[in-house]
Every structure is written in structure tokens, then in C-alpha cells.
Amino acid sequence: DAPIKQDFVRQIVRDDIASGKHTAIRTRFPPEPNGYLHIGHAKAICLDFGIADEFGGVCNLRMDDTNPSREDIEYVTAIQEDVRWLGYEWNELRHSSDYFEVFYLGAEKLIEQGDAFVCDLTAEQVREYRGSLTEPGRESPWRNRSVEENLDLFRRMRAGEFAEGAHTLRAKIDMASGNINLRDPAIYRIRHLAHQNTGDAWCIYPMYDYAHALGDAVEGITHSLCTLEFEDHRPLYDWCVDRVDLAGHPELLRPLTEQGMPLEAAKPRQIEFSRLNINYTVMSKRKLMALVQSGLVDGWDDPRMPTLLGLRRRGYTPASLRLFVERLGVSKVNSVIDFSVLEGCLREDLDVSAARRMAVIDPLKVTLTNLQDGHGESLEFPNHPKDESFGSRQVPFSNRLWIERDDFAEVPPKGFKRLVPGGEVRLRGAGIMRCDEVIKDADGTVIELRCSMDPESRPGMEGANRKIKGTIHWVSAEHAVATEVRLYDRLFSVADPDDNSDGQSYEDHLNPESRRTVTGYIEPAAADAKPEQSWQFERLGYFVADRQDHSPQRPVFNRSVTLRDIWAA
Ligand code: ATP
Ligand code: MG
Ligand code: MG
């Protein structure tokens, strides 16, 4: 059984159940469909859905689509796919825009209560009137309009009588508040824009804080988890929930219940936790969008992107990402997580779940002179060194092999344990080979090694156990399948690409080595991979069959992660 998680959010939920405050837990994951989800969102998803699961509750997926200018159905679809891929299923799929009519009725209620007014100040004036941290704001000259005038203007805003910016609806709270979010924040603005879900039905759109609070209340959310930057917004969140009071006014929900939408409004509680930040990458959707649009990466699913789609194509598994989030824990302290933690989680998962295969990605030709041409042999290899349930496979062996170029050194560096002229090395699972002759081209580049097998060292023979320092992997050149191998590395070469104190922007810090494409050779049983299947190529790392481009006839593998952390040194 999984250990019980003990973070502060789960403690609050546990206490709320123990005290009888809630009998059923409801959470939601509320992405704005203005881009693809990234690894930061995975943290929120695992928390929102994970807590609902652990406490026998439910979690909704809510498209927080209140800003039509940046939202698109493409993202709405992609977000659903990503959440399912991570392994979660929502209770209900909702859109904030499903609730626009309720939000509107809530705003009329605020106006009738004297809690909101239509303001004619321009955006610039609003900023001027708002004051600062050290200076109280000034009240809008439109703040004391009558309820009738406010209602009339707000209805005409909705009817489309006014240009963008001509009016806003503002909450009437406190221009002297120490919390600037409470200085009569706008709750509606005019936008003559089509919306991806509601089309042309609306030309006024609710602001985030108002819509978010009410959306949570509509859905009966008990614990509304969000990131720390919303801590200052919590008083406004509570104000919206309390003043509109959907739980106490079911009549406001009629536009939805009439459509048969099952609802049980409640008073939600907002709880903030720290955002996930990882070094060597950027995470804001705006910057990721810019990378895609400028062609600096190949798309949202580029295997170097920290998007869920990019990580997926890179070979990250849902289990590895869930493990990562679990390992991070949940707290209120912002920090930057080292990229290697993420890579470590992938290694940990794939070590257990990926079968082993042999591949050579920087090939050097070897001819075994004491084996016949056309010598064909089939060797049995276990598919996993630690797990017999993976079974075994046959690996063809012949007198022509490929080995890794850097497993041979004419002038070996100190401590080199692999093949040298006149020296011996173990060919994994096949026997011991001696290098008899080094063949070079006119430029002096080594192009072939002529070697011989120790006949007493073949599998099953006594001499196979002879002690030898180095073991290398190989593939039979007669049988190998040529493959495209994409060697991915970190997208940025500096730990904090967002740091622009040197006058450079994140685009200046792209790692020029973040992708290299080479042709390698793989054993036949590796070519069979289904798209998205991962192998450990022995001694090289974990590789995944590219989900778009791979086929057994024309294999394409992406390096997901090396076997060891090559950035640590
Ligand atoms: P970005 O700033 O990258 O555009 P966002 O916060 O605007 O992200 P949303 O679509 O609004 O993106 O986010 C949906 C949910 O995911 C929110 O609850 C948000 O707090 C959470 N979330 C977003 N980024 C992170 C992160 N880096 N770490 C943890 N949670 C995050
Ligand atoms: Mg957001
Ligand atoms: Mg955003």
C-alpha cells in the first residue's frame, strides 16, 4: 500500500472530514485553455485529482475560459487528452463559460445589494485611482450611482450598446484596503469577441477572480487548490463567494438546473500551495508559445519542451511524472527543483518497466576473422536483468558486428577498461574478443577493427567466466536494423534561462546541442517496438519509439534520458 501522504493540504482535508465540516470532498483542476499543459500543471493535476481519489471524493475538469482573446478549442481538446494520459478521469467536464448566465445573475444581485457599480473610468484612470502599497486609492466618481442606473447600464453593457473600455462593472469594496485586490476590482468588462464555447452570445466577460470563486461555488467545490500567487486574492475570492452566496440562493442557479445540470452549490475554501519551478527550462505558457511560434522548437510536442505532450514524446511515462510530483511534496515554500530530479524519476520508473535491448549509435565496424562469413548464430538474452517475467529473446550474432566507436581507444586514457589494440574485451553475452588489427582510412580515421573470438569463451563454456575488465555491447551488422536516433538534451544551457540581468533573454540561452540526429543500428527485436514503447539500450540510456515517426520498417527512437546524470559534474 502507498504510504499516507502528510502534506498540509491533505491535513486540512482530513481535519474537515473528521470535524464533520464535509462528508464528501470535491476538487477541480481549472486550466485556462490558452496553451498546452506543462509539467507545472502536472503538480496541480496530481494534487487536485489525487486528493479527490484518496478521500473518496470527486474532481472536475474545468476549462477556465473567461478570456476569449487567447483561448482556443485546440487547447480544450489537448488538455483533456493530457489529463487522461497522466492517468486521471474527471467527474465532470465543465467550462466556466457554462456558468456565464449564473455569473451574470450574481452580478445583478451584487448591484441590487449595493455591492457593485458601473464605472466609466478608463483603464489608465483606474490604475491612477488605485493607489499603491503605501498610498490608499481614491474612489471612482461613478461609485455612488443608484442601483437603478447601475442595473440599466449593466444590462445595456450586456446588450452590446457600448464600445470596449467604455464601462466596467466593479465590486464596491474598499479603496483604502491594504490589499490592493480589494480596491474596487473590476468584475466584468466589455469584449466584442467571439468565444470558443459561447460564440457570440456574450460581449461582456467576467474577470478571473469573480468567475473563479463563483465557478467553484457553483460546482460545490470544498477545497479549491491554487498556487501561492493567489494568496492575496483570497479575501476577494471569499468576498465574491459570500456576497453572491450561491449556496443560499438556489434561484440564481436556475439557468443551469433548467438545462438538467446537476448542481449543489457550496462555500468553497481556497488553499494555496507553491508553484513548481524547474531549472534549465521555462514554464510560462506565454514563453512556451513564443518558442513554438518562432520555430525555435518543432511544436508544443517537441521532445525538449516541458509540456506534457513534449515530455510524453520524449519518453516520459505518466508513472514517472506522478512519482516526481509525489517526491516534490506540497508546501508553501517556493523553490526551484533541479532538472535531474525529474530525470531520476524517469530512470527509476523505466529501470523497472523497460525491457533491455542492444543498439549502437556511433558505429565502428568489427570483423571477427576466426568466424566464417555467413556464420549465423542466435544467442538467448534475458529481457530484464532483475525481472524474469520479462522473458528472453534471441539475438543474432555473426562475424560482422557494430560496436560503439568510443568503446575502442587506440591510445587509451588512464583507467580505460575497454578495447585497445592487442587487448581483450567481453562482448556482452557472446564471448571474449581480441583486437588484432586496426584499419584506418587515408586520413587516419579508424574504420574497422579486425578481431578474433576466444573459442573457449563462447556462451556456456568454461572459459566464458574468464575474468576480463571491460564488457561492451554490440549488434550483428548482418542483422541489425538501421535506425534514426534523436539525441535530446536540455533545451537551455543555463540553469535560469529567465534571468535576464545580463541583458539576454531566454531565447539567447538555448542549448545548441539540445538535439542531434544520428543513424544507429539496433538488434531486430528492438525495431519491433510499438510507438511510445521504451527500451533501455544497454549502456546508452532509455529510448522511446517516436510516437509520430517510428515504424518497425523505419525505426525512429528518441533518447529520453541517459543512464547517469551527465550534468552533475
Ligand atoms: P502559466 O503561468 O504557465 O500560464 P497558469 O497558472 O496561468 O500557468 P492555468 O491554466 O491557469 O495556468 O493553470 C491551471 C492550474 O494549474 C492552476 O490551478 C494553477 O495554479 C496550476 N499551475 C499552473 N502552473 C503551475 C506550476 N508551475 N506549479 C503548480 N501548479 C501550477
Ligand atoms: Mg491562470
Ligand atoms: Mg496564465
Side-chain angles (χ1 to χ4, degrees):
D1 272 23
I4 296 185
K5 302 191 185 91
Q6 291 291 0
D7 55 76
F8 81 98
V9 180
R10 287 175 169 90
Q11 196 52 50
I12 291 172
V13 174
R14 217 170 271 132
D15 291 347
D16 285 347
I17 292 173
S19 73
K21 182 177 177 199
H22 298 297
T23 48
I25 299 304
R26 296 180 83 93
T27 58
R28 86 290 169 262
F29 171 62
E32 185 181 0
N34 62 351
Y36 283 72
L37 298 182
H38 51 62
I39 177 82
H41 292 111
K43 178 174 179 181
I45 293 170
C46 291
L47 255 186
D48 292 323
F49 285 90
I51 286 181
D53 284 350
E54 285 157 45
F55 293 93
V58 294
C59 180
N60 286 349
L61 174 59
R62 186 195 315 148
M63 301 295 159
D64 214 347
D65 54 352
T66 54
N67 181 0
S69 65
R70 296 178 307 176
E71 295 160 2
D72 197 284
I73 191 81
E74 174 193 351
Y75 308 127
V76 172
T77 309
I79 287 168
Q80 295 176 60
E81 240 184 82
D82 283 347
V83 172
R84 285 212 169 101
W85 175 72
L86 256 190
Y88 296 104
E89 189 57 55
W90 45 91
N91 174 52
E92 295 191 62
L93 172 67
R94 296 286 180 78
H95 294 74
S96 295
S97 56
D98 295 337
Y99 313 141
F100 277 173
E101 193 66 46
V102 173
F103 296 168
Y104 177 83
L105 294 178
E108 285 207 349
K109 177 167 183 276
L110 290 178
I111 292 172
E112 280 160 6
Q113 291 170 179
D115 282 328
F117 66 100
V118 173
C119 183
D120 301 358
L121 294 182
T122 64
E124 196 181 322
Q125 288 170 321
V126 167
R127 254 193 307 280
E128 235 173 76
Y129 275 69
R130 191 179 292 135
S132 67
L133 279 175
T134 51
E135 222 186 320
R138 281 181 295 139
E139 293 187 349
S140 162
W142 310 103
R143 198 173 198 263
N144 296 311
R145 277 182 158 143
S146 69
V147 168
E148 291 67 35
E149 193 184 357
N150 280 322
L151 268 183
D152 174 60
L153 284 169
F154 188 49
R155 286 172 183 165
R156 287 164 60 197
M157 281 168 65
R158 174 180 184 165
E161 286 187 27
F162 306 117
E164 291 189 7
H167 302 283
T168 53
L169 183 71
R170 295 176 67 183
K172 196 189 283 188
I173 308 182
D174 179 6
M175 289 308 291
S177 173
N179 184 336
I180 291 178
N181 294 300
L182 295 180
R183 294 186 187 170
D184 293 2
I187 55 179
Y188 267 92
R189 61 181 169 171
I190 301 170
R191 298 290 268 140
H192 291 281
L193 267 184
H195 183 283
Q196 55 84 19
N197 187 38
T198 57
D200 292 321
W202 294 87
C203 63
I204 55 171
Y205 290 98
M207 301 301 286
Y208 174 85
D209 285 307
Y210 176 74
H212 198 82
L214 264 56
D216 284 344
V218 167
E219 290 177 23
I221 301 303
T222 54
H223 302 83
S224 173
L225 313 181
C226 64
T227 35
L228 270 184
E229 67 273 22
F230 292 103
E231 197 165 27
D232 284 352
H233 295 238
R234 192 188 331 134
L236 176 55
Y237 179 96
D238 290 340
W239 186 93
C240 292
V241 168
D242 289 338
R243 295 299 165 115
V244 177
D245 189 18
L246 290 173
H249 293 267
E251 72 277 8
L252 297 174
L253 298 170
R254 208 171 296 137
L256 298 174
T257 46
E258 274 170 1
Q259 297 169 28
M261 193 180 276
L263 289 175
E264 211 181 315
K267 197 183 153 181
R269 168 175 177 186
Q270 175 179 305
I271 303 167
E272 310 86 16
F273 63 92
S274 62
R275 277 182 98 77
L276 169 63
N277 301 297
I278 305 182
N279 61 11
Y280 294 100
T281 190
V282 294
M283 210 115 79
S284 95
K285 278 187 267 190
R286 188 177 57 77
K287 287 176 185 165
L288 297 174
M289 177 89 71
L291 289 171
V292 171
Q293 286 176 345
S294 59
L296 291 168
V297 296
D298 293 335
W300 288 100
D301 71 343
D302 186 299
R304 295 165 293 182
M305 290 279 272
T307 51
L308 295 186
L309 218 51
L311 290 163
R312 175 177 181 176
R313 197 162 175 194
R314 177 75 170 263
Y316 275 81
T317 56
S320 67
L321 298 181
R322 290 196 304 263
L323 175 65
F324 175 64
V325 171
E326 197 171 307
R327 198 150 286 174
L328 295 175
V330 187
S331 80
K332 276 191 174 285
V333 184
N334 276 320
S335 64
V336 180
I337 304 299
D338 202 277
F339 200 92
S340 62
V341 177
L342 180 59
E343 294 179 323
C345 290
L346 181 60
R347 283 188 199 104
E348 212 169 305
D349 179 41
L350 291 179
D351 180 37
V352 174
S353 65
R356 274 46 170 177
R357 292 292 185 266
M358 289 201 289
V360 170
I361 58 176
D362 186 10
L364 174 61
K365 184 176 166 185
V366 166
T367 304
L368 294 169
T369 52
N370 61 344
L371 294 184
Q372 296 293 310
D373 250 3
H375 171 96
E377 201 179 329
S378 180
L379 303 174
E380 184 169 357
F381 272 63
N383 286 327
H384 198 290
K386 291 173 264 188
D387 186 346
E388 281 183 13
S389 73
F390 278 77
S392 62
R393 69 188 186 284
Q394 296 297 319
V395 179
F397 180 72
S398 69
N399 68 329
R400 293 200 302 113
L401 307 176
W402 296 114
I403 65 166
E404 216 66 65
R405 183 166 285 276
D406 68 3
D407 280 335
F408 170 76
E410 213 176 0
V411 185
K414 199 163 176 288
F416 190 79
K417 294 199 182 76
R418 292 158 287 159
L419 194 59
V420 297
E424 284 184 315
V425 77
R426 182 182 303 281
L427 288 178
R428 170 126 168 73
I432 297 167
M433 156 179 107
R434 171 187 305 281
C435 175
D436 303 315
E437 196 183 337
V438 179
I439 300 179
K440 300 180 183 176
D441 67 8
D443 302 330
T445 306
V446 176
I447 52 169
E448 183 185 348
L449 303 178
R450 297 179 72 81
C451 302
S452 49
M453 290 300 284
D454 169 1
E456 304 298 316
S457 73
R458 304 307 317 281
M461 302 181 84
E462 189 63 24
N465 300 322
R466 182 153 68 82
K467 208 165 155 48
I468 212 84
K469 282 224 185 76
T471 299
I472 66 174
H473 63 274
W474 51 272
V475 294
S476 163
E478 301 262 336
H479 308 89
V481 182
T483 182
E484 179 176 331
V485 183
R486 298 171 183 166
L487 299 171
Y488 290 108
D489 199 349
R490 296 176 188 186
L491 185 54
F492 294 95
S493 50
V494 297
D496 184 5
D498 283 324
D499 176 8
N500 52 12
S501 57
D502 56 0
Q504 297 194 304
S505 83
Y506 61 100
E507 284 115 327
D508 301 319
H509 295 301
L510 288 164
N511 174 8
E513 304 274 290
S514 65
R515 181 183 56 193
R516 269 191 315 126
T517 301
V518 299
T519 298
Y521 293 99
I522 56 180
E523 59 168 290
D528 276 351
K530 293 187 223 22
E532 297 209 87
Q533 187 170 350
S534 293
W535 304 125
Q536 183 195 98
F537 286 154
E538 293 198 27
R539 301 182 57 235
L540 297 177
Y542 294 96
F543 291 72
V544 68
D546 188 79
R547 62 186 289 240
Q548 308 295 350
D549 302 334
H550 170 84
S551 70
Q553 295 70 39
R554 198 190 158 284
V556 179
F557 282 91
N558 301 330
R559 182 170 69 195
S560 311
V561 67
T562 52
L563 288 182
R564 260 168 248 91
D565 185 0
I566 53 176
W567 286 70

